Amino acid sequence: MIRFYVERDPAFPIPETVFTLMKRVIRTCVQEHYPSHRFEVELTVCGDEEIRRLNREYRDIDRPTDVLSFPMLEFSMPQVYVSLGNIVISAETARRQAEEYGHSLRRELCFLSAHAALHLLGYDHETEPEREEMEQKQREVLDSLGITR
């Protein structure tokens, strides 16, 4: 089970149905690995200015990015709600990327949700084998929910 805390920047409105689907994507990623554990996830959708500030503050990279993940724990088997981490998604960058890749904003936000959830679970893409494994997991989750390009 996952409890979500959602923050939305009113300047970048996302339909409730898309937020619901984004949460379902994150839940699917997490429950595959930890089916009987309880986690909390903070999901924030903001603009490029805010995500740039966070990227600069936490990664020393002074530019906007599409998504940031902030894992909160090394994995054991929690029995109470434990914060799995924070996910911050730039709606502005997601819109641009959706247009660039030729798919919907809905699909891009769900992809970024899966990508970030997998980071919270310890996946990375620094090496080619890690990237391939992470991309495969992302495809599996999105395909299982019928979210296609």
Side-chain angles (χ1 to χ4, degrees):
M1 174 173 262
I2 299 178
R3 182 182 304 159
F4 287 94
Y5 298 94
V6 177
E7 286 189 43
R8 307 173 192 205
D9 184 330
F12 307 100
I14 303 296
E16 188 62 38
T17 56
V18 175
F19 264 106
T20 298
L21 193 54
M22 291 166 68
K23 291 188 283 188
R24 189 170 174 202
V25 166
I26 295 165
R27 188 174 291 113
T28 300
C29 288
V30 174
Q31 287 179 336
E32 179 179 321
H33 292 81
Y34 296 96
S36 61
H37 294 86
R38 296 180 283 185
F39 293 105
E40 295 177 346
V41 172
E42 182 178 323
L43 173 60
T44 302
V45 175
C46 62
D48 281 351
E49 183 179 319
E50 176 63 9
I51 209 160
R52 180 180 185 168
R53 182 189 68 75
L54 293 168
N55 206 21
R56 182 177 51 243
E57 182 176 337
Y58 291 101
R59 297 178 64 221
D60 293 322
I61 299 173
D62 191 14
R63 64 176 168 77
T65 187
D66 52 5
V67 62
L68 294 170
S69 303
F70 299 99
M72 294 297 180
L73 63 122
E74 294 293 323
F75 286 94
S76 60
M77 294 300 184
Q79 298 303 315
V80 296
Y81 280 103
V82 173
S83 179
L84 187 59
N86 299 351
I87 295 170
V88 182
I89 297 173
S90 171
E92 282 181 279
T93 298
R95 271 195 188 94
R96 282 194 306 273
Q97 289 178 172
E99 289 175 14
E100 179 182 328
Y101 300 139
H103 55 244
S104 69
L105 177 59
R106 171 185 174 270
R107 195 269 179 199
E108 185 66 16
L109 289 168
C110 289
F111 168 82
L112 294 173
S113 297
H115 186 87
L118 291 171
H119 274 308
L120 294 183
L121 292 166
Y123 284 80
D124 209 343
H125 45 77
E126 296 298 315
T127 66
E128 188 63 22
E130 288 175 333
R131 184 190 61 75
E132 289 172 4
E133 180 183 20
M134 192 168 179
E135 286 179 357
Q136 177 63 30
K137 282 289 184 198
Q138 290 166 169
R139 274 191 302 277
E140 289 171 6
V141 168
L142 295 177
D143 288 350
S144 76
L145 298 170
I147 302 167
T148 59
R149 287 186 164 200

